[in-house]
Amino acid sequence: MTFCQILRLLPLLLLSLARPAAAQLLQPKAAFTRADSLRGGQSALRTCYDITYYHLDVKLDVADRALRGTNLFRFTATQDFTRLQFDLFANLKVDKVTYHGRELPFTREANAVFVTFPIPIRQGSRDEFTVAYSGHPTVAKKAPWDGGMVFAQDAAGQPWVATACQGVGASIWWPCKDQQADEVDSMLISIAVPKGLKDVSNGRLRSTKKLPGGYVRYDWAVRNPINNYDVALNVGNYVHFSDVYQGENGPLTLDYWVLPENLEKAKKQFAANVPPMLKSMEAWFGPYPFYTDGYKLIEAPHLGMEHQSGVAYGNKYQNGYLGRDRSATGWGDKWDFIIIHESGHEWFGNNITSQDIADMWVHESFTTYSESLFVESQFGKQAGQEYVHGQRRNIQNDGPIIGPSGVNKEGSSDMYDKGANLLNMLRSALNDDAKWRQILRGLSRTFYHQTVTGQQVIDYINKESGHDFSPVFAQYLQYASLPVLEMRLEKNQLLGRWVAAAPGFDLPVRLRLKGGAYQLVPLTPKWQPLPLPGATRDNVEVDTFTYYVGVLME
């Protein structure tokens, strides 16, 4: 999951894994500045180049809480240009920018850096430059709720350091093209740490090298496209154990990095949760998207984060969400929330990434929905339906789920639980579980390793379902209010219609006479007779268990 001034620190935000950003995630903001547009927008200075490869090479000074290093930017020009933008927080110093052996001039504004090249870079050409930087990165006070680096100690007093920066941006600790629309195709992450500590980052460990001054460098190769906020370092006195999962695309390596005192607890908790999680996610969403980079769980000094192929874990080896069931149904007490939820982001957030965090619902709605699908895979469909229904207790209906575009701002935290209930409702309206499963798997296949807009996801579901759910998505994503099913008796005939803020709202709904079987009834904003012979105000029932709607009987 992670994103910008006064945080209404409601229990919901903690329970729904809302995360801070550009000041913090899921916080109201009345006005936007040029700095917000520089961070969240797609100007020509960003779109002129397509990032293809990074080599991030950083030395961590744990005692001074400081970084020093370089990042190589390798790119393809999408148009002719002489100037481009990359990003690095203003509290970190750009020491120099080098291009073909010479230093380039640059200027800074807010957290953006503008580089001028000595000759035009021509469209289609491949080129590179290197940024050297140093300084003291922002230290997170309550990660992952606010972005930055975490400097902690383990039980033995050893240093324990991690990054968590979704929303606030990866440029809080390393220079990059810090937006989601352009994912780097592959990456080498080199982190040098004091001897006795280990770094665990994304991808696979390629090599280690002893450096002067008592440092050891760990080189991690990422072979798949990765979004910036997923790039992570995790530094500690880690011990390692591993397993293999026989998945849809063959053997998948499972690597676990934990603190020594938690080794036995980790072996038990991970074995109980990871294989069934992978089985459920692959069944519903298709093969794990990063077989070549493997799957890792890494113990972290914060609650957790969906870092691609290296999921950060801090749920203290217990079931639920820090020991609580977010749904209050009892089903959430039977599995480890952080393992299931954060791993679900490998499909939605990491495999499929929204181009703008205004569409962060694509990450969080589907991943929160994956929790109920996991419950269903373990305990049956009724259990899964009870779980997603129980999630409604966290919904605020306080604003649009889609945020404003181009300013690095997400919408309401209802993207989690309301979004999950929206998807579950579409499943009910479709009334074909096999088709619904194919739609979910098709999303992962069609948008494999891609960045998308929310509209692309909506269009795909509409096309594959054979029903235009656009007004339904509009109602639940763009408006805080719920649609209301109004019914009235007229000349001994029960009539029904939808009343909704979204124009043209039409959604087939499940209705029945008491004691009878539900039937799917198409309804629109116009009054129409309900095809339920003998229906009255007292004997008609609306399926409000799977439909998150209001009901009004006149």
Side-chain angles (χ1 to χ4, degrees), residues 373-446:
L373 296 178
F374 174 77
V375 172
E376 178 173 334
S377 71
Q378 299 301 296
F379 309 107
K381 184 174 181 179
Q382 180 62 24
Q385 292 299 309
E386 290 173 5
Y387 180 85
V388 71
H389 183 271
Q391 289 175 315
R392 296 180 191 177
R393 66 195 289 266
N394 305 314
I395 298 173
Q396 300 295 299
N397 288 317
D398 59 352
I401 286 174
I402 295 178
S405 62
V407 290
N408 198 52
K409 186 72 179 78
E410 74 299 322
S412 165
S413 63
D414 280 349
M415 71 179 78
Y416 293 83
D417 301 286
K418 188 175 183 179
N421 273 269
L422 164 62
L423 295 173
N424 189 62
M425 189 167 56
L426 296 182
R427 177 187 184 181
S428 290
L430 190 60
N431 199 32
D432 186 334
D433 284 356
K435 177 182 280 191
W436 180 241
R437 178 171 170 270
Q438 289 308 309
I439 288 172
L440 296 176
R441 290 176 63 91
L443 282 167
S444 296
R445 182 175 60 251
T446 302

Side-chain angles (χ1 to χ4, degrees), residues 169-415:
S171 56
I172 201 169
W173 73 278
W174 63 285
C176 59
K177 184 179 181 181
D178 200 3
Q179 44 75 63
Q180 293 179 186
D182 182 13
E183 291 188 344
V184 70
D185 300 332
S186 62
M187 184 170 183
L188 181 62
I189 305 168
S190 299
I191 306 295
V193 298
K195 183 180 179 181
L197 300 176
K198 300 179 182 69
D199 170 68
V200 187
S201 291
N202 315 80
R204 294 190 183 277
L205 184 62
R206 175 179 289 179
S207 62
T208 61
K209 183 179 181 180
K210 292 182 179 180
L211 303 178
Y215 271 73
V216 179
R217 189 183 72 208
Y218 292 80
D219 297 318
W220 294 87
V222 180
R223 295 175 59 187
N224 294 284
I226 185 169
N227 65 53
N228 295 323
Y229 72 79
D230 273 341
V231 175
L233 63 76
N234 299 273
V235 175
N237 180 32
Y238 287 117
V239 294
H240 170 252
F241 65 101
S242 62
D243 199 355
V244 175
Y245 177 77
Q246 298 298 327
E248 289 192 15
N249 280 356
L252 172 64
T253 57
L254 311 179
D255 288 280
Y256 306 122
W257 297 82
V258 301
L259 298 180
E261 64 266 26
N262 295 324
L263 178 60
E264 294 308 315
K265 288 187 290 186
K267 287 181 177 179
K268 180 179 178 181
Q269 188 76 350
F270 294 173
N273 284 271
V274 173
M277 175 277 296
L278 288 167
K279 183 177 181 179
S280 175
M281 299 295 179
E282 288 205 328
W284 285 105
F285 301 140
Y288 177 73
F290 307 107
Y291 270 73
T292 52
D293 284 334
Y295 172 89
K296 293 193 293 295
L297 279 179
I298 308 161
E299 188 171 3
H302 59 80
L303 182 58
M305 184 61 68
E306 63 263 27
H307 297 146
Q308 183 175 305
S309 72
V311 174
Y313 174 82
N315 202 36
K316 302 183 185 302
Y317 305 99
Q318 60 188 325
N319 287 346
Y321 175 86
L322 290 175
R324 301 188 299 272
D325 174 7
R326 293 186 64 254
S327 73
T329 62
W331 297 114
D333 290 329
K334 301 181 184 300
W335 42 277
D336 192 314
F337 178 91
I338 293 299
I339 293 176
I340 306 309
H341 180 93
E342 301 302 348
S343 299
H345 277 302
E346 294 281 46
W347 284 263
F348 291 94
N350 300 347
N351 179 40
I352 302 175
T353 305
S354 66
Q355 294 179 3
D356 191 308
I357 69 167
D359 281 327
M360 186 177 158
W361 69 270
V362 174
H363 301 196
E364 299 302 347
S365 297
F366 282 93
T367 300
T368 304
Y369 181 54
S370 76
E371 300 163 26
S372 68
L373 296 178
F374 174 77
V375 172
E376 178 173 334
S377 71
Q378 299 301 296
F379 309 107
K381 184 174 181 179
Q382 180 62 24
Q385 292 299 309
E386 290 173 5
Y387 180 85
V388 71
H389 183 271
Q391 289 175 315
R392 296 180 191 177
R393 66 195 289 266
N394 305 314
I395 298 173
Q396 300 295 299
N397 288 317
D398 59 352
I401 286 174
I402 295 178
S405 62
V407 290
N408 198 52
K409 186 72 179 78
E410 74 299 322
S412 165
S413 63
D414 280 349
M415 71 179 78

Side-chain angles (χ1 to χ4, degrees), residues 5-10 13 18 20 24-28 145:
Q5 274 161 334
I6 297 172
L7 176 59
R8 290 167 53 198
L9 198 54
L10 299 169
L13 297 184
Q24 296 180 31
L25 172 63
L26 298 171
Q27 299 185 36
W145 313 107

Side-chain angles (χ1 to χ4, degrees), residues 532-549:
L532 297 171
T536 68
R537 290 186 179 91
D538 300 322
N539 68 1
V540 68
E541 293 183 337
V542 182
D543 177 13
T544 55
F545 183 68
T546 64
Y547 281 75
Y548 184 48
V549 299

